[in-house]
Amino acid sequence: MADSKSKKKNDKELSYSELVAKRDALKKEYMDLRFKMVVAHVDNPMQKRTMRCEIARLNTFIQQKEAAGENK
């Protein structure tokens, strides 16, 4: 659990452009995982849920940065 807290702190300290880039990469990875789940067997089906939560968390940080006017 300590690892997830440090990851949250690290994401919060990222710049706006880094957050957007990380979110876009995660969205692509999520779409690939969805496709893989339809076509073949996936070892960890819970990974899909955790990726969705991670994307939502990044979206929250991005919205906070936009509200603060840091989206340059």
Side-chain angles (χ1 to χ4, degrees), residues 13-56:
E13 295 168 358
L14 293 175
S15 71
Y16 177 81
S17 58
E18 291 171 332
L19 284 170
V20 171
K22 187 170 182 177
R23 180 195 59 188
D24 292 344
L26 203 55
K27 277 185 173 183
K28 183 182 181 325
E29 190 178 331
Y30 176 71
M31 289 300 179
D32 291 343
L33 181 66
R34 282 182 55 196
F35 180 74
K36 192 185 223 183
M37 288 182 91
V38 171
V39 174
H41 174 74
V42 176
D43 293 331
N44 185 6
M46 291 299 292
Q47 184 180 10
K48 188 175 169 185
R49 180 190 291 181
T50 57
M51 289 177 79
R52 274 199 326 260
C53 290
E54 180 77 16
I55 291 169

